[in-house]
Every structure is written in structure tokens, then in C-alpha cells.
Amino acid sequence: MFSKTNLAIAAIAASAPGAYAWWRVSCPSPLVSERVDPIISPGVAPSQHVHTVHGASNFAPNSTYDSLVASKCTSCLVNQDHSNYWFPKLYFHSPTDGTFTEVPNGGLLIYYQDRGDLAPVNGGPGLKAFPPGFKMLSGSPARRSMNAPTTDNTQWGLGQRAQFFSCLRYTNGQTGYDTFGFPNTNCESGLNSRIHMPACWDGVNLDSADHVSHTAFLSELDNGSCPPTHPVGLMKLLYEVTWDINSFVTSGQWNPATATFPFVLATGDPTGYSWHGDFQMGWSNFQQAIDTCNYSDGTGQGITEDCSVFTEQTAAQAETCTIAPIVKETITGKLAKLPGCNPIQNGPANATLYSDSNCPA
């Protein structure tokens, strides 16, 4: 399995404003990959596009906080974390025969960060745990372009910048770079895909009709203040997934000198702008961890083993936590089309999202 580079981890850790109550949760391999989405499509299977899912084993179309905390296992390393995290799969779209092949990655890393004016490290009174039943997401499967200037600090603009990519190029003297939307080169050391989640809550609603309005981003996205409409400060989650796109170069399936960037998300997106992530709360002792786990050992690495509130399992143990998919369809191997009804839509306008029942011929 492709492993994430330590340099990428160090770069994000170095940007942390302090070392109070933050940690990284590692989820080395998926719980399941399938078309199920308990936030966007509760009670429905299949949902619109394929997700890679990590976390608690009771993940289901109708999963609840109570069902998640009762899970028999988690595919993440912290035993107390029975949350679920999911994001769309990435596929290689062959320039020669048009087939789609799943791209391998090194698992999911979730940074739990103490950010914002309400965090004690910034002189604030403290951050609150996600309440039982809490759900949130960041990004949209329909997006195909940047719909706001990078100087737009409204919630709309912040939401546009919350998903981005880092093209890692640590070999052969190449220089890496960050980009909104997919890069235009090979990323020899990995395509690092990141998602900032909202860190402010309205204090009332566990979800909302659009699954966004009950939450808000910090005013500087990675730090700053919560808006008056969302006064409750939460731990800020940052998702990180590193895809091994270079394996398609070394295997001879893609020549970057002659073919454009040949990767698409499971949403039918060749632009990368539909990159998004979902979260459903399943922690059992989250407030205790926030209040008591203070990383003062000088490493700045947010090591979960340093927190007495947590117990850890090994990666080998976590990898045994898997479930059978509910939706019976082929989503790996060489595919003639993306699973579900997800035709390639280039944008720049938002894509039309189809269901299996209204798929155009």
C-alpha cells in the first residue's frame, strides 16, 4: 500500500498555532467502499457515487450515533473513535481504452486541530465536543470550477477553498505545488488531497436541510473567529488522503509527456473541484479528550498514544475491521464506466447529478 510522506505530515504539523489538545487519527485501510451515504441519502442504497468509508463497523444508510458507538470495531487506530469518515473514490481514466481503474492510496489521516479564537491556545475559553447525532460535510459533488475568488472570505468563498490538492514531487529535483482542482502534472511522491471541515456550530441543529447551514468555517478557514450565527467552537478536522497516481506512470499506462491528467473522481469529475468529505460523529469520550489531552512533549506531532483518554489498536488490527458492501456492484478492477450514473462532466458549470432511475441514455 502507498504510504503517506512524512514531509507532508511535518508541513501541516508545522502550521499548527500551538500544541494544546490536538491529535491525528490514522485510518490505514477502508472499512468498505460502496455507494452509501447516510448524510446525503439517508436510508437509501445505492446513493449517487462511490465512497471510500473509514471508521465504525455499523456504518449503514440509516446509521445513528447510538448505532455507531455500539459498533464491534473501527478501521481507525483510536478505539474510542467510532465515527465514520467518507470521501469519493479516485479512478484512472485510461487514455488508450477509456476504462476506469481505482487509484490506490495510503489510507485516511484526520487531523483534530485546536484552531480559532475560542481555542485555549489562542486565549479562548475552550472548544466543545461534537454532540451526539452531529453530522457535517465539506465540498460538493456537483462542483466543476472555482465559483468564488480566492479573496472572498464569506462562508461561500471559504467553502470553495476548503478542498485542495498538494502535488508532492520530492524526487528528481521537481518542485511540488498546491492547487484548487487537479494538478496538471504527475505527482511522483503522491497526490495529497485535503479537506478543511467547518469548525463552528450554531449550537442547536445536528444537521440541516443542505447539510451545511448548521455549521460554518472559521473566518480564516484554518484559524480565526466563528461568525455570530455559529458561536460554538469545535475541534477543526482536516482530512488528508494521498493517492499513488505515479503507479500509472511506472506501469506504462500514462505518459504525462503525451497525455493530459487522466484521473476522475467517482462523481464523473475530471477537474477535482468535486472533492469532498463527510463526517458522522461517533466518539464516546470526546469532551474529556479535548479537555485533558495536552501535547507538551515538544514533538508537535499530535500523537494519540500520548493521550491517556485513548487506547490504540495496531494498524494490523484496524485492517481486520471491514464490512460487506450493501450495494452489490463491481467498483474495482477495469470498469467500462463509473459505478452508478456518473457520466464525465467537465464544467465549468455545476454538474447534473443523476440517480440510477433518471440516468440519460
Side-chain angles (χ1 to χ4, degrees):
M1 177 179 289
F2 185 70
S3 61
K4 292 170 287 293
T5 173
N6 289 333
L7 289 178
I9 293 173
I12 293 180
S15 67
Y20 184 96
W22 81 275
W23 56 82
R24 294 192 315 270
V25 173
S26 175
C27 307
S29 64
L31 174 77
V32 67
S33 293
E34 64 177 333
R35 284 196 293 144
V36 169
D37 190 329
I39 295 181
I40 298 296
S41 303
V44 175
S47 61
Q48 203 270 331
H49 55 270
V50 176
H51 291 110
T52 296
V53 183
H54 293 267
S57 58
N58 281 351
F59 176 81
N62 58 353
S63 54
T64 65
Y65 174 75
D66 289 338
S67 68
L68 292 185
V69 296
S71 296
K72 66 177 183 179
C73 64
T74 174
S75 66
C76 302
L77 297 191
V78 178
N79 290 313
Q80 288 73 24
D81 183 11
H82 279 192
S83 304
N84 281 131
Y85 313 85
W86 61 97
F87 50 85
K89 273 195 177 300
L90 183 68
Y91 287 90
F92 170 72
H93 189 193
S94 172
T96 56
D97 63 14
T99 57
F100 299 88
T101 304
E102 177 188 16
V103 180
N105 67 67
L108 172 66
L109 196 60
I110 309 108
Y111 291 76
Y112 278 77
Q113 300 170 312
D114 57 329
R115 300 294 171 89
D117 295 349
L118 298 173
V121 70
N122 292 326
L127 301 175
K128 300 300 182 183
F130 306 118
F134 183 79
K135 305 172 184 178
M136 66 176 170
L137 56 80
S138 177
S140 166
R143 275 187 62 200
R144 295 296 186 271
S145 62
M146 276 297 274
N147 297 320
T150 56
T151 54
D152 184 346
N153 288 323
T154 65
Q155 285 297 311
W156 173 254
L158 292 166
Q160 297 281 301
R161 301 198 300 277
Q163 311 85 36
F164 66 106
F165 300 90
S166 185
C167 185
L168 306 179
R169 315 189 78 184
Y170 301 132
T171 60
N172 301 323
Q174 302 281 6
T175 300
Y177 57 95
D178 292 344
T179 177
F180 299 109
F182 283 146
N184 55 15
T185 67
N186 184 24
C187 304
E188 293 82 359
S189 300
L191 174 61
N192 187 260
S193 308
R194 303 174 188 172
I195 302 170
H196 292 287
M197 301 297 279
C200 305
W201 177 43
D202 66 11
V204 177
N205 298 290
L206 302 178
D207 197 0
S208 49
D210 62 0
H211 313 293
V212 173
S213 299
H214 64 300
T215 62
F217 292 100
L218 291 167
S219 61
E220 300 170 15
L221 189 59
D222 198 32
N223 218 325
S225 59
C226 286
T229 53
H230 297 74
V232 180
L234 307 171
M235 290 286 282
K236 189 182 83 64
L237 273 57
L238 175 72
Y239 289 12
E240 181 182 77
V241 181
T242 304
W243 310 91
D244 186 9
I245 64 172
N246 187 59
S247 63
F248 293 89
V249 176
T250 58
S251 66
Q253 298 177 74
W254 173 36
N255 182 350
T258 59
T260 57
F261 196 80
F263 297 93
V264 299
L265 291 167
T267 53
D269 174 22
T271 72
Y273 288 106
S274 72
W275 174 236
H276 62 280
D278 301 67
F279 169 79
Q280 186 169 6
M281 158 67 169
W283 285 92
S284 56
N285 60 349
F286 194 45
Q287 191 65 57
Q288 183 186 6
I290 293 172
D291 293 340
T292 63
C293 297
N294 185 354
Y295 298 100
S296 57
D297 60 3
T299 66
Q301 293 297 301
I303 300 170
T304 49
E305 293 96 318
D306 288 348
C307 180
S308 61
V309 175
F310 299 147
T311 59
E312 292 255 338
Q313 62 180 338
T314 66
Q317 290 171 321
E319 288 169 0
T320 66
C321 186
T322 61
I323 60 174
I326 297 171
V327 181
K328 306 304 181 184
E329 63 182 347
T330 302
I331 61 173
T332 60
K334 266 198 171 185
L335 307 176
K337 60 181 284 294
L338 292 171
C341 183
N342 289 285
I344 301 299
Q345 299 182 68
N346 294 284
N350 280 2
T352 300
L353 300 183
Y354 299 103
S355 66
D356 288 13
S357 62
N358 72 345
C359 190

